[in-house]
Amino acid sequence: MNQKNIRNFSIIAHIDHGKSTLADRLLEATGALSDREKSDQYLDKMELERERGITIKSQAVRLNYKAKDGLDYILNLIDTPGHVDFTYEVSRSLSACEGALLVVDAAQGVEAQTLANVYMAIDQDLEVFPVLNKIDLPSAEPERVREEVEEIIGIDTSDAVLASAKEGIGISDILEAVVNRVPAPGGDVDAPLQAMIFDSWYDSYQGVIILTRVVEGSVKKGDKIKLMATGGTYEVQKVGAFSPHPTELPKLAAGEVGFVIAGIKVVEDAKVGDTITHQHAPAEKPLPGFQEVKPMVFSGLYPIDSGEYDALRDALEKLRLNDAAFSFEPENSLALGFGFRCGFLGLLHMEIIQERLEREFNVELITTAPTVVYKVTTTKGELLQVESANMLPEVQFIEKIEEPFVLASIHVPNEFVGAVLNLCIEKRGVQRELKYLTANRVMVVYELPLNEIVLDFFDRLKSITRGYASLDYEHLDFRPSKLVRLNVLINGDVVDALSLIVHMDKAQFRGRELVSKMKEFIPRQQYEVAIQAAIGNKVIARSTVKALRKDVTAKCYGGDITRKRKLLEKQKAGKKRMKQVGSVELPQDAFLAILKVK
Ligand code: GTP
C-alpha cells in the first residue's frame, strides 16, 4: 500500500487508564475481531497478563480502516508495555511509530507513568494527541484533566477526544484523529534495508517471531538477512502482519510494520532494538538507539523439593527462550541446596517469572529476598559484579563498593508531600526537584539507591499516600557506598540464603527488625529456635522462637469433625512452603522477612 495511507501509532497511558480496553474497541470498530474474540482483551495475550490486568509484551496489530475521506487506510497499532521495568521496550515500540494517543483517565488525571511515556514519545518526535477516557464515570472531570494535561505536559488539548472505551464513546473520532493527525511514514522503498526489531518472541512451531518496523528498503520471503548488532545471518521464511491473526504478505516495505520469521532459534539472537539489513547490499549503519538490557535485580530460586531441580532448570530454560532480559545461573546454598540465581529487569519482572514458574511449569519454589547488583573493587584491584550477599568478599579484601542509583519521579497530591519527602530521606535519597504541577499535584524527584527501592519502597509509598502516589524511575549510575553484609544465624549457624547487603548506618536497625519479624514467621517447633543477626562476628540482635508443638486442633471441641479436617488441611497447605534448614523448618515468609522491615 501507498505510504500515504499508512499510519503507525501507539497508545500510551498510565497503568489502568484504559489502554487495553481502548485497543480492543479499535479492533472491534475496524472489524478485526470476531464476536467470540470480543469478549477478551485481545492484545493481552497471556492468561497471567489478563489476570493481573497488565500488559507485558508489546504487539502490533494491522487494522483496515475506511476513513470519512473515502480512502482506505492501514492503521498499525503498536501496543506498549505499561510498566517501569519495560521502559526500553516501550522506547523501541514508540520509535516504530509516527504518532501516539495519550490516554488519560478523566477521573484520575496525569500520573507518573503518563509523563514518562509522553516525554519519550515527544523526544522521538511523535505527534501526540490526548484522549480523555472514562468520561462515563460519575467522577470524571474532563475539563479539569484537560487543563492538567495542558499545564503539565504542555500539549494542546483543544481537540482532545472525549471517550469511554468501556461504553464505546468517541471511538470513531479517535480513528479519524489517527488518520488526520498522525503523519504518514516516510522512507525510501529502494534504499538498502533497515528494519528495527521492536519485539521478538519464541514460538515452538516457527522459532523466533520478530516484530519489525521497516524504515528503509523492503524485505520479503527468501531474502538473506543480517542482524546488525548480533551479526547473525538468516534466510527469511515468511513476512506478514497480525490483523490480528497472522497473515502472510508478499513483502514488507519502508513505512510498514509486521512480522519476520527467519529460522532464528532463540530470542537472544533477535534482540529488541537491533536492525535487520540484507546480508548482501547491507545498509551502511544500523538504526540508532540499540541498547543491551541488563538485569538489575537478582534473587535466588530454589525448588522446595530438591528432586525438582532438573524440572526447574528446564522451566527456566524455556522461559529464557522467550525473554532475553531474564538470566539465570546455578547457585549452591548451604541452607537451600541447589538452585539458581536469577536476574530480572525489576521487581515486576521478577514476580511475573516466579509466578509463571509455579503456575505454568508447576515447580514449587523458595525465593530469596531480591538484591541489586553491586560493583566491588577488591584490594587487589579486581572489579567484581556482586549479585548476592554471598558473593561479597570479606571486608578486609574490599577496596570499594558501588551501588546502583535511580532517578525516581513521584507524583502525589499536595497533602502527602511531607510524608513522601520523609520516606525518601529515610531511604537515603538525594532531592533533585520538587515541583508543583498544579495547585494540588506535586512532582517529587529524588536520586535513590535501587537497593532501597527493591526492599519495600513501593509498598511504603502506597501506604503513606493512601494509594495516591505514582512512581516512575530510570537508572542513573553507580555510586560508592558504605555497605556491609548482614548475616542471619539460626541456632548458631549462618543461613547463607538469608544474608543481605545493607547500608552500614542501617545495619543495626535492620538487623533488629529482621530478627523480630522472622520470629513472627517461624512457627514453633520441637526445639527452641534462636535467631540472630550479625555483622562479621558481631551479633547485633537476637530473638527466640519458643519450643512448643502446636496442635492446631486443640481448640476444637470433640465432635466437630469437618472443622477439624479443615484446620488440618490448612496446616498442611501452610507446611508445603517450608524448607528444612539444619534442624529447623523455615517457611517462605522467613526468607522474605526483610521485605517487611521498614
Ligand atoms: P494496563 O494494561 O495495566 O496498562 O492497563 P490499561 O491501561 O490497559 O487499562 P485497561 O484497559 O486494562 O483498563 C483498566 C480498567 O479500567 C479496567 O477495569 C477497565 O474495564 C476499566 N476501563 C477502561 N476504560 C474504561 C472506561 O472508559 N470507563 C470505565 N468506567 N472504565 C474503563
Side-chain angles (χ1 to χ4, degrees):
M1 178 173 272
N2 193 322
Q3 280 176 347
K4 276 204 262 153
N5 296 32
I6 299 176
R7 299 290 181 271
N8 299 315
F9 74 107
S10 213
I11 304 178
I12 55 187
H14 188 73
I15 221 148
D16 275 349
H17 282 196
K19 187 178 68 179
S20 308
T21 312
L22 177 62
D24 278 354
R25 286 288 178 206
L26 298 178
L27 262 68
E28 242 175 78
T30 53
L33 285 190
S34 67
D35 284 341
R36 187 180 57 78
E37 289 162 341
K38 283 180 192 166
S39 58
D40 308 328
Q41 286 203 341
Y42 191 82
L43 290 187
D44 281 359
K45 190 168 49 179
M46 288 187 275
E47 175 203 6
L48 184 65
E49 286 185 37
R50 201 167 301 145
E51 255 174 45
R52 302 184 138 214
I54 49 168
T55 314
I56 300 163
K57 294 234 59 122
S58 41
Q59 290 204 4
V61 192
R62 175 183 282 228
L63 310 170
N64 295 306
Y65 176 62
K66 194 178 209 50
K68 290 193 178 139
D69 62 12
L71 300 174
D72 288 314
Y73 290 85
I74 286 180
L75 312 182
N76 291 308
L77 165 57
I78 296 171
D79 196 21
T80 55
H83 189 274
V84 29
D85 288 358
F86 305 100
T87 307
Y88 178 66
E89 287 192 18
V90 176
S91 85
R92 294 305 84 204
S93 301
L94 290 177
S95 79
C97 304
E98 278 75 35
L101 301 178
L102 168 64
V103 173
V104 182
D105 184 325
Q108 289 207 326
V110 175
E111 295 288 343
Q113 202 90 58
T114 324
L115 270 194
N117 288 344
V118 92
Y119 288 148
M120 220 187 286
I122 292 170
D123 273 354
Q124 308 201 16
D125 286 331
L126 265 55
E127 173 73 27
V128 176
F129 61 95
V131 172
L132 306 180
N133 190 33
K134 306 200 186 181
I135 54 157
D136 60 293
L137 288 177
S139 55
E141 297 178 277
E143 285 318 307
R144 176 183 70 80
V145 172
R146 192 198 286 272
E147 274 171 31
E148 215 176 273
V149 171
E150 284 215 357
E151 251 176 75
I152 300 176
I153 305 174
I155 54 175
D156 180 18
T157 57
S158 54
D159 44 9
V161 181
L162 298 186
S164 162
K166 191 170 170 193
E167 309 212 324
I169 302 169
I171 305 303
S172 65
D173 292 346
I174 293 174
L175 288 166
E176 283 298 309
V178 169
V179 167
N180 296 321
R181 297 194 55 172
V182 177
D188 178 356
V189 179
D190 300 315
L193 174 64
Q194 281 180 311
M196 199 260 307
I197 302 179
F198 61 89
D199 195 8
S200 65
W201 67 92
Y202 180 79
D203 177 279
S204 43
Y205 296 105
Q206 322 236 35
V208 172
I209 300 179
I210 289 174
L211 275 183
T212 187
R213 158 70 194 270
V214 183
V215 178
E216 300 283 348
S218 67
V219 60
K220 61 179 188 312
K221 182 175 171 170
D223 284 359
K224 298 268 191 332
I225 54 165
K226 177 174 174 181
L227 304 188
M228 296 179 89
T230 55
T233 54
Y234 308 91
E235 184 175 324
V236 175
Q237 296 165 348
K238 253 184 219 174
V239 302
F242 293 96
S243 46
H245 301 286
T247 312
E248 214 174 323
L249 294 168
K251 69 171 183 185
L252 289 175
E256 289 191 274
V257 168
F259 65 79
V260 171
I261 297 172
I264 302 173
K265 301 278 185 307
V266 286
V267 281
E268 233 186 319
D269 293 337
K271 292 192 167 127
V272 170
D274 200 352
T275 301
I276 307 172
T277 191
H278 282 124
Q279 189 181 348
H280 311 293
E284 265 177 40
K285 30 176 216 224
L287 296 162
F290 174 70
Q291 253 179 45
E292 286 276 350
V293 285
K294 291 211 181 69
M296 290 304 289
V297 173
F298 289 81
S299 147
L301 302 189
Y302 291 86
I304 291 198
D305 171 359
S306 55
E308 283 198 327
Y309 178 81
D310 289 336
L312 176 58
R313 193 194 42 228
D314 290 349
L316 291 170
E317 267 161 14
K318 285 213 182 85
L319 283 179
R320 163 117 187 112
L321 273 181
N322 234 332
D323 189 345
F326 159 64
S327 71
F328 68 95
E329 55 185 56
E331 178 181 64
N332 191 359
S333 151
L334 280 175
L336 297 178
F338 292 100
F340 297 91
R341 177 126 294 250
C342 301
F344 311 93
L345 292 175
L347 289 179
L348 179 83
H349 189 211
M350 177 177 89
E351 274 176 39
I352 291 167
I353 299 253
Q354 289 171 357
E355 220 170 296
R356 290 189 63 187
L357 285 169
E358 302 208 344
R359 186 191 301 233
E360 293 169 31
F361 298 96
N362 239 332
V363 219
E364 277 195 308
L365 299 171
I366 289 276
T367 58
T368 63
T371 163
V372 303
V373 54
Y374 298 93
K375 287 185 180 167
V376 176
T377 313
T378 65
T379 45
K380 286 191 197 141
E382 289 166 295
L383 183 67
L384 307 176
Q385 289 256 96
V386 170
E387 294 157 9
S388 83
N390 300 309
M391 290 166 70
L392 195 66
E394 296 291 333
V395 194
Q396 64 271 29
F397 301 121
I398 298 176
E399 179 74 37
K400 184 169 74 171
I401 308 184
E402 290 165 281
E403 64 176 331
F405 265 68
V406 298
L407 189 65
S409 323
I410 301 161
H411 282 225
V412 272
N414 208 357
E415 58 193 292
F416 301 115
V417 173
V420 170
L421 295 185
N422 285 337
L423 177 67
C424 290
I425 293 166
E426 184 194 315
K427 298 294 181 186
R428 304 189 279 129
V430 181
Q431 196 183 95
R432 268 265 189 110
E433 205 180 342
L434 193 147
K435 194 164 140 193
Y436 275 78
L437 298 171
T438 63
N440 185 37
R441 290 202 57 88
V442 182
M443 178 170 80
V444 179
V445 182
Y446 261 82
E447 297 169 8
L448 281 160
L450 183 61
N451 166 312
E452 301 286 344
I453 295 207
V454 300
L455 290 180
D456 65 340
F457 188 80
F458 197 57
D459 289 347
R460 288 280 303 286
L461 181 67
K462 285 279 171 197
S463 85
I464 60 172
T465 61
R466 284 193 265 118
Y468 281 111
S470 57
L471 166 76
D472 187 68
Y473 63 81
E474 58 182 283
H475 293 285
L476 268 183
D477 50 16
F478 280 79
R479 299 182 186 179
S481 190
K482 292 186 292 177
L483 298 156
V484 289
R485 172 171 164 167
L486 181 73
N487 285 328
V488 175
L489 292 79
I490 302 278
N491 285 348
D493 295 326
V494 173
V495 178
D496 56 0
L498 289 167
S499 297
L500 295 165
I501 295 176
V502 295
H503 194 265
M504 207 181 275
D505 298 346
K506 297 195 153 188
Q508 287 279 347
F509 172 76
R510 284 242 157 95
R512 264 199 317 273
E513 290 283 308
L514 179 60
V515 294
S516 80
K517 270 282 171 261
M518 288 194 58
K519 182 180 167 187
E520 290 171 25
F521 291 133
I522 299 178
R524 293 186 173 194
Q525 329 214 343
Q526 272 148 314
Y527 312 94
E528 190 172 277
V529 180
I531 313 163
Q532 293 168 303
I535 298 170
N537 293 327
K538 192 166 156 245
V539 173
I540 54 168
R542 178 193 162 103
S543 67
T544 309
V545 181
K546 295 244 158 50
L548 180 89
R549 201 168 156 175
K550 203 169 168 190
D551 181 358
V552 286
T553 59
K555 30 180 171 2
C556 308
Y557 313 111
D560 189 353
I561 189 72
T562 44
R563 173 121 199 265
K564 184 165 173 174
R565 198 178 319 121
K566 256 192 203 147
L567 271 166
L568 283 171
E569 264 163 25
K570 220 164 141 195
Q571 195 189 34
K572 213 164 99 201
K575 261 232 162 97
K576 271 206 300 213
R577 291 222 160 209
M578 293 275 197
K579 188 86 187 178
Q580 187 82 29
V581 175
S583 58
V584 181
E585 281 206 310
L586 294 183
Q588 165 73 75
D589 283 347
F591 290 94
L592 297 180
I594 186 65
L595 302 183
K596 302 282 185 295
V597 171
K598 285 185 179 161

